[in-house]
């Protein structure tokens, strides 16, 4: 069975390296993930199946996912603003579907989420939200940030926070490219 352009792995056919990635995905999200991780037969959805196809890279991506997910100084709200900015900029249906729920849980309103989906800046955003969004959009558009944009991000998040923002944008941009190129379908959410 195919999952987009690649094989859709069952848990029964996994090598030990693939099993480690599979188990890591399930462990990261726990018993109540914010979006469907698996189908009824245990096959992984989204980028996680692709991680099984190349488990050496998949394991590294899982470690990076964990780092940008909970190993930064960024708030959940800021992190989800950035993820939704990437999803909107890259028209990444899976990222958008998965993270709009996470964003709501992180405190973004339905209007703020809709505005981000329409490439707008919500009027309700404060200085920190705007700094994160402007910085992410600059990176996505230009692969760089102006001195003023960088200074605003550094004022809001500090030097480490700027590095974390760059890494967060880069990780989700990579995932969006993986999803698009492999034609990964979006499960019902």
């Amino acid at each position: 069975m195919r999952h987009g352009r690649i094989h859709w792995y069952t848990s029964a056919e996994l090598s030990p390296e693939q099993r480690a990635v599979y188990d890591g995905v399930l462990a990261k999200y726990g018993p109540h993930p914010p979006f469907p991780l698996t189908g009824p037969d245990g096959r992984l959805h989204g980028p996680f199946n692709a991680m099984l196809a190349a488990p050496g890279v998949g394991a590294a991506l899982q470690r990076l996912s964990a780092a940008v997910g909970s190993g930064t100084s960024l708030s959940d709200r800021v992190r989800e603003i950035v993820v939704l900015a990437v999803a909107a900029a890259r028209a990444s249906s899976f990222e958008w579907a998965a993270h709009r729920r996470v964003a709501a849980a992180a405190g973004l309103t339905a209007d703020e989420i809709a505005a981000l989906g329409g490439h707008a800046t919500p009027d309700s955003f404060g200085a920190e939200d705007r700094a994160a969004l402007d910085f992410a959009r600059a990176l996505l558009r230009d692969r760089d940030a102006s001195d003023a944009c960088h200074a605003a991000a550094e004022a809001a998040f500090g030097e480490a926070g700027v590095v974390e923002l760059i890494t967060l944008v880069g990780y989700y941009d990579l995932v969006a490219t993986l999803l698009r190129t492999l034609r990964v379908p979006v499960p019902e959410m």
Side-chain angles (χ1 to χ4, degrees):
M1 181 180 278
R2 306 289 285 178
H3 190 248
R5 289 180 164 168
I6 63 173
H7 179 70
W8 201 4
Y9 294 90
T10 66
S11 62
E13 65 187 316
L14 301 178
S15 70
E17 295 82 11
Q18 290 170 314
R19 171 61 65 184
V21 172
Y22 182 93
D23 291 345
V25 168
L26 296 182
K28 176 185 176 190
Y29 291 99
H32 304 291
F35 48 85
L37 286 177
T38 64
D41 58 359
R43 296 173 197 252
L44 291 173
H45 289 301
F48 310 111
N49 182 65
M51 292 176 184
L52 298 177
V57 171
L61 287 175
Q62 268 304 98
R63 289 189 299 276
L64 183 55
S65 174
V68 299
S70 62
T72 73
S73 62
L74 304 173
S75 70
D76 292 346
R77 179 180 173 83
V78 164
R79 186 174 56 250
E80 293 308 317
I81 289 168
V82 170
V83 174
L84 290 181
V86 174
R90 299 299 185 241
S92 182
S93 299
F94 183 91
E95 281 179 343
W96 183 264
H99 282 274
R100 72 174 188 248
R101 291 179 178 190
V102 180
L108 274 80
T109 67
D111 288 344
E112 290 171 335
I113 293 168
L116 291 170
H119 306 278
T121 301
D123 292 335
S124 58
F125 272 16
E128 188 174 276
D129 294 345
R130 286 178 186 275
L133 180 60
D134 291 347
F135 193 76
R137 285 179 173 164
L139 295 178
L140 291 161
R141 183 186 58 246
D142 304 327
R143 297 283 186 210
D144 197 0
S146 69
D147 289 343
C149 185
H150 179 271
E154 189 170 26
F157 306 107
E159 185 175 75
V162 168
V163 172
E164 292 165 351
L165 284 169
I166 295 165
T167 305
L168 182 64
V169 170
Y171 173 75
Y172 278 97
D173 198 13
L174 179 152
V175 170
T177 301
L178 186 79
L179 292 164
R180 178 179 300 281
T181 305
L182 296 177
R183 308 294 192 265
V184 173
V186 179
E188 288 187 35
M189 296 202 195

